[in-house]
């Protein structure tokens, strides 16, 4: 998640106002299975690869239509309507200011964590990205 707080507004209240890419980001977040995570970059890459048009643009040297920063922005504005804690930073650090809420979700879902060193400020664990990261394989269905 971005450094900003998850929005308190729900997606339903903004369905008509959401940009198309924001709706697509939120749909990907909803697909991530419990106990797994995707990084902002993973979500952007997924969205880039989901259409033949995006793949052709990438091959032709075109720019991404959605990047990690845009994914973070969408999650900060509209993410409260989806499992926001499953879209994370690539280093596994929990969302600043929301560590305890996210940690409760991770523990309830069995998301792999790395315990923090005693010298770490606040002793907050990090995500074990090697084990928790979801590659979007079709065989696993996400639930919220």
């Amino acid at each position: 998640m971005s450094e900003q707080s998850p929005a308190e507004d729900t997606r339903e209240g903004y369905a008509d106002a959401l940009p198309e890419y924001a709706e697509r980001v939120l749909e990907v977040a909803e697909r991530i299975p419990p106990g797994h995570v995707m990084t902002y970059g993973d979500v952007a890459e997924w969205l880039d690869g989901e259409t033949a048009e995006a793949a052709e643009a990438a091959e032709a040297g075109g720019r991404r239509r959605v990047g990690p920063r845009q994914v973070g922005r969408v999650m900060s504005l509209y993410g409260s309507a989806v499992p926001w804690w499953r879209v994370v930073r690539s280093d596994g650090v929990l969302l600043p200011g929301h560590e305890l809420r996210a940690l409760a979700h991770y523990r309830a879902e069995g998301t792999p964590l790395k315990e923090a060193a005693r010298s770490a400020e606040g002793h907050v664990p990090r995500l074990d990205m090697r084990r928790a990261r979801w590659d979007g394989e079709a065989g696993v269905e996400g639930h919220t």
Side-chain angles (χ1 to χ4, degrees), residues 35-97:
H36 293 83
V37 298
M38 289 180 89
T39 68
Y40 300 113
D42 292 340
V43 173
E45 187 177 315
W46 173 300
L47 293 173
D48 271 352
E50 75 178 5
T51 66
E53 177 183 306
E56 288 173 15
E59 286 179 22
R63 296 184 63 195
R64 280 187 168 174
R65 295 187 311 180
V66 176
R69 289 180 189 249
Q70 289 84 6
V71 171
R73 181 71 175 153
V74 168
M75 294 304 295
S76 72
L77 293 174
Y78 310 108
S80 66
V82 298
W84 55 267
W85 58 93
R86 296 182 194 154
V87 180
V88 300
R89 293 172 36 162
S90 62
D91 62 3
V93 171
L94 306 189
L95 179 64

Side-chain angles (χ1 to χ4, degrees), residues 113-134:
L113 299 168
K114 288 184 176 182
E115 288 304 317
R118 291 181 189 228
S119 62
E121 187 176 326
H123 306 290
V124 177
R126 287 182 177 215
L127 291 160
D128 183 340
M129 293 302 293
R130 185 182 57 77
R131 294 181 17 218
R133 201 170 195 169
W134 185 57

